[in-house]
Amino acid sequence: MIDLKQLREDPQPARDSQIARGADPNLVDQILQVDEARRAALRDFETKRAEQKAVSKSIGKTPKEERAGVLEKAKALAEEVKTLEAKANTAAEELEKLARSLDNIVLPQVPSGGEDKFEVLRHEGGAPRDFTKEGFTPKDHLELAEGLDAIDMKRGAKVSGSRFYYLKGVGARLELALLTMAMDQAVDAGFTPMMTPTLVTPQIMGGTGFLGEHSDEIYYLPADDLYLTGTSEVALAGYHKDEILDLDEGPRRYMGWSTCYRREAGAAGKDTRGIIRVHQFNKAEMFSYCPPEQAEKEHARLLAWEEQMLAKVELPYRVIDTAAGDLGSSAARKFDCEAWLPTQERWMEVTSTSNCTTFQARRLNIRQRKTDGNVIAATLNGTLATTRWIVAILENHQNADGSINVPQALQPYMGGVSVLEPIQ
């Protein structure tokens, strides 16, 4: 949620942010109008309540012959106070609802526009392989995985429906190897490893900003009033709800390892083959609480850790600065790393890292202890490894016979195996 005090003092950045996102800038002025109405209603309530208290206090000192009139006045004032209090509460509820509909204010460096208006910051990991020069046509990840007996989509669909799957054999080992390597790297960097809940309350899901425009992407269990998380970011953000953190020694960092669930309601017909876009997957997610003034530097660190992992699995990738219109509601800026997908000749997102500034922490009442008064903390998140990486690893490291070269850094996590051989 945005800072109302800051919005009152300077609403233009919020208007500009809405325009950059392709959203309605008039929402900002609506919020300010409702805020003014709320404050006016609160003033009226407090003024009348003070008058009521003064009259009630005077009853005992009032002569007997005048007391009935004073009592009547006190009774009338009590009714007025009750009405004005209800009006102030209604205005506060309306303001809360409206303010929560305003997305985080994007940072000035963020490209304006929709999904295709991102800015490519750089290419890393070398040039993509030219399979034509190597004399063979690359197979897609599913064909390769089926040759390795590593993924079973048919039985996944039989048991759970479309976009579910089994990872088996070397496929299961490959996912576990990736996530374990991510955990080791995170621990070395000072992160606390966490196995997080995958069911959360509406207060936590809403507090992280996931119950807005794309809430239809989330699985909901009405009988329990709980949501299945699409990322451990949600559980990690809620971990310190209503707490005051001491961040004098630097950011507080966690790495969450969890299964993630997404309905993919808006992705019909897109990447339906294989495991690029599925309903269930595993992910290692970095999460950081830090002082607001350090958030941009912390964001750069999270990106660097993501790139460190991508270098370990030897993938060609590019880094993009995501356009404002493609940001989630809680993100003020987001960098994506996209690996090359040879069979589709396109870049595929494998990591993202978002600076959520104080947006989530304000909703969740997470503050930083300061000697001159506590302040709202900043939160950031970033992917360190996920099931989707298997797609890029298989396609980029394949050989003509369908075997897969295991990246050197990953080999110790695969029991020393250097090549995954097709099942004969």
Side-chain angles (χ1 to χ4, degrees):
M1 196 161 75
I2 40 79
D3 183 344
L4 282 173
K5 183 175 181 292
Q6 188 176 24
L7 192 70
R8 287 186 213 110
E9 292 172 353
D10 186 10
Q12 196 54 46
R15 294 191 190 104
D16 293 341
S17 176
Q18 287 289 94
I19 292 168
R21 284 178 176 272
D24 184 5
N26 292 323
L27 175 60
V28 177
D29 297 295
Q30 291 174 35
I31 292 170
L32 291 173
Q33 289 167 10
V34 173
D35 179 48
E36 179 53 41
R38 177 196 64 86
R39 291 193 293 154
L42 189 60
R43 285 193 299 268
D44 291 344
F45 161 66
E46 290 175 342
T47 300
K48 192 61 69 174
R49 184 174 61 173
E51 183 183 350
Q52 178 207 5
K53 285 182 177 179
V55 170
S56 297
K57 203 172 184 181
S58 72
I59 292 173
K61 301 175 183 179
T62 303
K64 276 188 177 182
E65 61 273 15
E66 298 175 16
R67 196 168 293 173
V70 176
L71 284 168
E72 191 64 32
K73 184 177 181 182
K75 184 179 179 181
L77 283 170
E79 287 300 316
E80 284 189 67
V81 167
K82 186 177 179 181
T83 300
L84 289 171
E85 183 178 24
K87 183 179 178 181
N89 289 340
T90 299
E93 289 171 5
E94 185 181 354
L95 176 62
E96 173 81 5
K97 183 178 180 181
L98 204 59
R100 279 180 172 265
S101 70
L102 181 64
D103 293 340
N104 200 359
I105 298 172
V106 300
L107 295 176
Q109 310 95 311
V110 174
S112 296
E115 183 180 359
D116 60 344
K117 296 300 181 181
F118 60 84
E119 179 184 347
V120 178
L121 300 179
R122 61 182 183 277
H123 287 80
E124 302 288 350
R129 287 170 62 185
D130 186 342
F131 287 93
T132 304
K133 289 184 178 178
E134 296 184 36
F136 73 98
T137 301
K139 299 174 182 176
D140 77 0
H141 76 280
L142 183 56
E143 186 178 356
L144 290 165
E146 288 176 340
L148 298 168
D149 198 23
I151 296 176
D152 192 330
M153 300 297 300
K154 290 180 180 178
R155 290 187 176 90
K158 177 178 68 175
V159 170
S160 303
S162 64
R163 301 201 192 194
F164 285 94
Y165 57 95
Y166 284 87
L167 287 181
K168 55 186 296 195
V170 294
R173 291 194 67 187
L174 188 55
E175 182 184 63
L176 190 59
L178 276 168
L179 295 172
T180 305
M181 186 166 71
M183 178 174 280
D184 283 352
Q185 179 182 299
V187 170
D188 288 345
F191 285 77
T192 300
M194 304 274 276
M195 299 297 190
T196 64
T198 57
L199 285 165
V200 299
T201 66
Q203 291 74 27
I204 299 301
M205 187 64 81
T208 50
F210 283 93
L211 290 183
E213 186 179 343
H214 299 291
S215 59
D216 60 343
E217 298 289 335
I218 304 168
Y219 286 103
Y220 176 59
L221 283 65
D224 305 286
D225 195 23
L226 292 172
Y227 289 92
L228 280 166
T229 57
T231 167
S232 60
E233 170 196 343
V234 178
L236 293 172
Y239 186 65
H240 286 300
K241 184 180 185 295
D242 297 324
E243 295 182 26
I244 300 172
L245 306 179
D246 186 350
L247 300 176
D248 286 346
E249 300 301 315
R252 190 171 296 197
R253 303 182 180 115
Y254 300 101
M255 193 217 80
W257 179 329
S258 75
T259 301
C260 306
Y261 303 89
R262 298 185 185 177
R263 292 186 64 239
E264 297 288 2
K270 186 176 181 182
D271 290 331
T272 55
R273 179 173 164 81
I275 60 169
I276 295 177
R277 194 179 292 273
V278 290
H279 295 306
Q280 177 182 327
F281 57 94
N282 291 312
K283 184 165 65 149
E285 179 82 358
M286 297 178 289
F287 195 90
S288 175
Y289 296 90
C290 79
E293 66 275 10
Q294 295 180 22
E296 290 196 55
K297 287 185 177 179
E298 182 73 350
H299 199 195
R301 293 187 196 103
L302 295 184
L303 176 60
W305 280 314
E306 290 180 338
E307 294 193 67
Q308 185 179 343
M309 274 292 294
L310 286 168
K312 288 176 180 177
V313 294
E314 303 168 25
L315 293 176
Y317 67 93
R318 68 180 185 181
V319 182
I320 68 168
D321 197 348
T322 307
D326 197 29
L327 293 177
S329 64
S330 60
R333 193 178 193 185
K334 180 164 77 84
F335 300 118
D336 285 350
C337 292
E338 299 180 328
W340 180 247
L341 200 57
T343 59
Q344 295 189 22
E345 297 187 332
R346 68 172 179 92
W347 300 97
M348 177 189 71
E349 179 199 325
V350 284
T351 78
S352 67
T353 175
S354 296
N355 178 1
C356 297
T357 59
T358 58
F359 186 84
Q360 293 176 328
R362 181 169 284 105
R363 288 172 169 233
L364 295 167
N365 189 32
I366 302 167
R367 291 160 289 164
Q368 175 195 356
R369 181 174 287 107
K370 303 282 281 187
T371 54
D372 54 348
N374 300 328
V375 300
I376 301 295
T379 62
L380 303 96
N381 61 80
T383 311
L384 208 51
T386 186
T387 307
R388 184 184 285 187
W389 285 36
I390 294 173
V391 175
I393 289 171
L394 294 180
E395 292 205 9
N396 282 281
H397 295 306
Q398 66 178 289
N399 298 308
D401 62 357
S403 64
I404 309 295
N405 297 322
V406 179
Q408 188 172 351
L410 203 55
Q411 290 175 17
Y413 297 92
M414 293 289 292
V417 174
S418 60
V419 180
L420 304 180
E421 300 285 355
I423 304 297
Q424 300 298 327

